[in-house]
Amino acid sequence: MEVLDEFDINIIKELEKDGRMAFSAIAATLKISNTMVHQRVNRLTEQGILAGIKPIINEKKIGYDWASFTGITLNKDQDSNRIIEELKNIPEITECYYVTGSFTLYIKIVAQNHEHMRKILYEKIDNIPGISKTDSIIELGCAFKRNITL
């Protein structure tokens, strides 16, 4: 495992404030060279530590007022790769995790309203061969969401 040094951590912290921040502005803030910022960001990206810089969409602001966390039970766990590929085709599924316990997969679904959620669950997900059961918990709001503290 690669260890992050103080420069890497400070560059990441600046990018967390604003992912569009110019590397020259980061360099000026941290009192390091622009070249150093470029090299560090490139290395962190190549190592997979930075997985990209993209916008964070507030789903509620664009009409997706409902969300659920849904556990999925499969007929056969070895079908998970095929089923995951089918789940990727449903744009309202924003996250998918392998989990232990009663479920094989755990997904997050965003929907515009309860009828939209019903259609996603009953007309899209339940029609995927190999899924034996779903169990959903409706999200009432996000208390907080953050990156790991460096």
Side-chain angles (χ1 to χ4, degrees):
M1 179 174 143
E2 295 291 324
V3 177
L4 299 176
D5 67 15
E6 181 181 343
F7 293 110
D8 295 331
I9 291 169
N10 289 332
I11 290 167
I12 291 169
K13 285 181 177 180
E14 290 301 312
L15 287 171
E16 283 185 312
K17 292 177 191 173
D18 180 0
R20 299 173 299 168
M21 183 181 287
F23 289 172
S24 57
I26 295 171
T29 300
L30 300 178
K31 297 177 178 43
I32 58 178
S33 73
N34 192 23
T35 302
M36 182 179 190
V37 174
H38 275 276
Q39 289 173 342
R40 295 294 182 116
V41 169
N42 287 339
R43 181 179 51 79
L44 292 167
T45 302
E46 288 169 8
Q47 292 175 338
I49 295 169
L50 289 179
I53 298 171
K54 53 189 168 186
I56 299 169
I57 298 171
N58 181 337
E59 293 105 351
K60 294 194 185 313
K61 294 283 186 180
I62 59 170
Y64 287 80
D65 291 330
W66 279 63
S68 76
F69 296 97
T70 300
I72 299 176
T73 304
L74 306 182
N75 292 329
K76 297 178 183 175
D77 287 348
Q78 61 261 35
D79 289 341
S80 62
N81 288 336
R82 178 188 52 79
I83 290 168
I84 289 167
E85 289 306 311
E86 293 196 47
L87 292 171
K88 285 179 184 178
N89 293 324
I90 303 171
E92 295 91 348
I93 298 175
T94 59
E95 299 175 46
C96 180
Y97 299 92
Y98 296 103
V99 293
T100 61
S102 302
F103 307 111
T104 304
L105 302 170
Y106 213 68
I107 60 174
K108 181 175 180 188
I109 304 169
V110 295
Q112 296 169 339
N113 52 46
H114 74 277
E115 181 62 18
H116 186 204
M117 181 67 73
R118 187 195 65 74
K119 285 182 179 182
I120 295 164
L121 287 166
Y122 296 165
E123 296 175 17
K124 294 182 179 182
I125 295 172
D126 282 354
N127 285 327
I128 297 173
I131 292 179
S132 66
K133 177 177 105 156
T134 61
D135 188 6
S136 296
I137 301 168
I138 299 300
E139 176 229 313
L140 298 177
C142 180
F144 69 88
K145 185 175 181 177
R146 63 180 174 204
N147 285 329
I148 189 75
T149 302
L150 299 176

